Each structure stands twice: as structure tokens, then as C-alpha cells.
Amino acid sequence: MTPGGAGVAQRHDQPTGGPAGRTGIGYEPGGAPGARSAVVDGPYGGNDGMYGPDDAPYTPVMASRSGDDGTDRGAAPDIGADLASHMADEVLADYLHQQSADFLRSLRLHRESGSDAEGAGEAARQLRRAARRISATLHTFRPLTEEAWADQLRSELGWLSGALAREQACAARRERLMAALQRLTGRGPERGDRGDRTGRGDRGKRGDRTTTGPATGSAASSAASSAASSAASSAAPAGDPDPDGALAAGAARAGALLDRQLTLARTRAHSAALQALGSSRFHAVADSVAVLASEAPLARTAAELPADEALPPLVEQAHRRLTEAVAALPLSRAGYPYNAAALAADQRQDAPWHQVRMLVRLSRYARELIAPEAGDLLLAEAGRALEWHRDAAEAAAAAAAAARTPRIAPATAYALGVLHADQRHEVEAARFAFGRVWLPRTPDRKS
């Protein structure tokens, strides 16, 4: 055992088994306690294992079985007779063993990658993918585990995943914002830099940009509804009647400012990740996962109950939390395009959507355990929309933070405000997309 890891990796000496008759962990209206720690998640997760090429299907010890088509929003997939022939501890242990093996395999690949940044990044994504599934399983099926041991491991996996995610978050956010600036100004970064250094750049060619003006004007008017955009509007040159010209004048400097800030943040995140991977705390987590790969810390009740009796109620409970959280969202308003509900940057209005994203993962991973062959298309599409929502919200926050930099030029602040408004429009579009995925298809409503 690694020093400092005994409290995490060693098994408890006390008798195993949870409270008699316990079938769930409860739920309080308005949120799911522990959901954030349950699904280990860093500040970024665009293509991080919830879906995409690195989301390899889980192969169970049981025979293949068919499931539903992902269209039922209220019931778990068909389980099949083969699940009934196994005990709950067999199914849980098999899943946890395989995910732990994936975790350890990814850790070895990360160590062997050396100076290969691309290989190290892919290994880190695979490691976080396995960590999320281990953590989510220990949360959803907590009554069937040694709860104290499982809770501590879940917390440590959350710490590790967050430490590994920040560098990728900064890189993806920078790429997203640079692409948005290029789209809003209608020119590439290099061309924009040359134009800014020469004074006015392509302002003499304003007539050539036939598609940029209207979109930019719309974004500028929406920017006035948020804090960063209000500051930008007041910073726009009063003597310049062309908002497109003001945006072009400040876009290059705004891009340079964002590049410096996000590159610095990425460098710090990289250093923090290296420090975390070399710490005794990390070695304790690795020791715990190694224990999990050979002996899952399950309660005695898991060995006494058939899988088809013990697991589906907990899967249903996870899905019920999700449906209750979605019911609290303003989907009726988000279902109308261009409703402007998301333009004001407010963490309180974003938080319920982020919570639903966590619960979508919990429900999807739980269904994956009992029916790995039945990919839930609804949850996969909903997860994509909510990942888009989260990425846009965090990009908007980065633009707003850059706009608060002291002593920046008025044109730079204006460009950052337009960029902030553009990303809040993306937030609104992501909410609309989620509503289209989740709600049943209905005839077009009249406004």
C-alpha cells in the first residue's frame, strides 16, 4: 500500500451489509443530493466518454440481450431472463471489475505516453471515462455496497477527474472562442492580427462583408441584456455608426487577450495535473481501484438478492430523479426559438440545467449496467444537448471575465461583449435542442 492510501484502499473490518429493507438513497425535491460527486466530472466534458468514439460498450459476463429502443422516458430497458439467472453481486462486481481494469489500463498508457501529448490526452480521457462509470455505479447502487468505503472512493475519483479535466477544458474553451470570433468578424485570426496592427485593418472593405453586419448587429443588441455586454455597449466608439467596424477593430485584441488568459490557465492546469498524479493521494486512489478490480466492496444483501429484483428499482429511482429535475426546467419557454431567456448571464438559471446533465449521466450509466446492449438514444441525444449547453455557458463566462480586465480598449471590450452575447445565444439554442429531444413531438405551437 502507498502511504496515505490506507484509509481509502483497505477494506473495512466491520461486517458488511446495509440497513435492512433499504432500496434507495432518497431524493429531495429540487435536486439530487450527491449527484455532482456521484458522476465525477471536471469543468469540461464535450467528448469525454458520455458519448462518442471513446464510449466503448460494456461487455458483460451474461449472454447478449435485446433492450428497448430508447424512446421510453419512464421505464428501464427490458432486462431479459438471463439477468434473472444471476445474483445482484455478480452483475455489479462484473461491471466494476471491468471498469476498474479500464482505469488501470488507461493509467498505464498515460505513464507510457511520455512526451506524446496527444497520447497522454487520450489516456486521460479514457481514465476519466472509467472513473465516471465507477463513481456513478457506486452512487446509484449505493445500498448494495459497503457505503463508507464506496463514498470515500467516489469522492477521491471526483477529485482526480477534476484535476485531469481542467487542462482539456481550457484548450477546448480557447478553441471555441477563437472560432466564434472568426465567425463573427468574417475573417481568420492571422488576417485579423495584421489588420489590427496596421490601425484599421479591413474597415475600408466593409461593403464586402454582406452577411456579417446583420448578425453582428443582432448580437450587439442582445449583448445589452447581460452584464459583460452592457459594459461593451457603453465602450463602443460613439462616433462610429457602424457596429461591424467597431467589432472588427477590437476582435484581434480581444482574441489576443483571451488567448493569453486561457493559455495561462491551461499551463497552470497542466502543472496541477502533474502534481496531482505524483501525489500520495493519487496513489491511494490507484490502490483503491486496484482493490476494486479484484474484489468489489459489496454488501451481503447483494449476494442474497436476484439481479432482476435488486437492480431495476435503483435504476428506476435514478431515472425518476432525472424526470423530476427536468420537470422543474422552464421547457415550455425554452421550446420557443429566439425566446431570449438565456441571454442574461446568471449562474442561478444555468445551475438547474447543469444538474440535469449530471442526472442524465447517472441514469444512462445505470441503464448501461443492466442492459449494455440497449443504447438509450434519448439519453444520448439529451446528453449531447446539455454538454453543448455547458460548454457555451462556460465560454460566455470566460468572455465576460476577459471583459472585466482593467484598462482594456473600448473596442476590445465591445468585441468581448458581442462574443459573450453570441455564446449566450448558443446556450439558448442548446436549451431549445434539449426540449426538442426530451418532449414528445407535438404540432407547432402558436406564439
Side-chain angles (χ1 to χ4, degrees):
M1 293 293 297
T2 304
V8 178
Q10 290 180 350
R11 298 290 301 276
H12 294 291
D13 295 329
Q14 64 266 27
T16 59
R22 185 172 184 180
T23 59
I25 59 175
Y27 174 67
E28 298 177 2
R36 176 165 290 277
S37 61
V39 183
V40 279
D41 182 54
Y44 174 76
N47 186 19
D48 57 356
M50 181 169 177
Y51 55 87
D54 61 337
D55 201 5
Y58 158 64
T59 304
V61 294
M62 301 161 298
S64 299
R65 54 184 174 271
S66 61
D68 65 5
D69 58 359
T71 58
D72 188 353
R73 294 163 174 78
D78 291 338
I79 297 170
D82 50 354
L83 186 60
S85 64
H86 291 77
M87 305 304 289
D89 65 333
E90 294 179 303
V91 180
L92 274 175
D94 175 65
Y95 187 82
L96 289 171
H97 291 340
Q98 292 206 25
Q99 297 304 324
S100 300
D102 289 344
F103 181 98
L104 297 174
R105 188 181 305 111
S106 301
L107 178 59
R108 184 183 70 251
L109 292 175
H110 189 276
R111 289 172 175 171
E112 294 174 352
S113 61
S115 58
D116 182 7
E118 183 177 354
E122 179 61 26
R125 281 190 290 271
Q126 294 289 340
L127 188 143
R128 290 176 56 228
R129 172 191 178 276
R132 279 194 305 273
R133 281 164 168 77
I134 294 171
S135 182
T137 301
L138 294 177
H139 174 76
T140 301
F141 303 97
R142 184 174 181 267
L144 302 176
T145 67
E146 292 183 11
E147 296 179 359
W149 195 94
D151 289 347
Q152 186 168 359
L153 176 57
R154 198 174 71 233
S155 175
E156 293 302 287
L157 287 172
W159 162 78
L160 175 62
S161 182
L164 295 177
R166 294 187 186 97
E167 180 181 1
Q168 183 186 0
C170 294
R173 198 170 301 132
R174 176 192 175 278
E175 182 179 353
R176 181 186 186 93
L177 290 172
M178 295 299 106
L181 270 178
Q182 179 179 349
R183 170 171 49 82
L184 290 170
T185 57
R187 58 184 180 180
E190 295 181 359
R191 188 179 172 193
D193 289 343
R194 288 195 297 268
D196 189 69
R197 284 194 296 267
T198 56
R200 290 297 181 180
D202 294 339
R203 287 188 62 191
K205 303 179 182 179
R206 285 196 296 264
D208 297 337
R209 293 192 296 271
T210 58
T211 60
T212 305
T216 305
S218 175
S221 62
S222 301
S225 63
S226 64
S229 303
S230 297
S233 298
S234 61
D240 192 343
D242 183 5
D244 184 40
L247 176 62
R253 291 192 177 95
L257 176 60
L258 287 168
D259 180 68
R260 286 196 304 271
Q261 292 183 348
L262 293 175
T263 300
L264 177 60
R266 181 182 182 181
T267 301
R268 291 174 175 171
H270 180 73
S271 300
L274 293 178
Q275 184 177 4
L277 290 174
S279 66
S280 61
R281 184 178 181 182
F282 166 74
H283 290 294
V285 177
D287 289 344
S288 299
V289 177
V291 170
L292 192 62
S294 59
E295 184 180 3
L298 302 179
R300 290 175 180 172
T301 52
E304 300 171 354
L305 296 173
D308 62 339
E309 294 181 9
L311 302 182
L314 298 177
V315 176
E316 286 292 343
Q317 186 181 56
H319 194 70
R320 185 167 62 252
R321 294 191 192 105
L322 171 61
T323 56
E324 291 175 356
V326 172
L329 295 177
L331 288 184
S332 59
R333 183 173 183 181
Y336 290 96
Y338 309 109
N339 57 75
L343 298 188
D346 186 354
Q347 292 183 351
R348 291 174 297 179
Q349 71 153 289
D350 290 338
W353 296 85
H354 297 329
Q355 179 73 3
V356 169
R357 181 177 61 87
M358 300 291 182
L359 295 175
V360 165
R361 280 186 170 177
L362 280 175
S363 182
R364 183 166 181 259
Y365 294 162
R367 293 190 176 204
E368 178 184 276
L369 186 144
I370 66 171
E373 300 291 335
D376 195 313
L377 300 180
L378 169 72
L379 293 180
E381 290 296 326
R384 290 185 179 94
L386 293 173
E387 294 288 344
W388 175 18
H389 177 277
R390 190 270 311 277
D391 292 345
E394 292 185 349
R404 291 192 291 269
T405 303
R407 297 184 298 277
I408 59 175
T412 305
Y414 178 77
L416 289 170
V418 172
L419 181 61
H420 174 271
D422 174 75
Q423 293 303 300
R424 293 307 300 183
H425 275 293
E426 292 284 316
V427 171
E428 177 187 307
R431 294 180 183 180
F432 176 78
F434 174 79
R436 298 279 290 181
V437 169
W438 188 267
L439 296 177
R441 297 299 182 187
T442 57
D444 293 339
R445 293 165 293 183
K446 296 180 180 180
S447 57

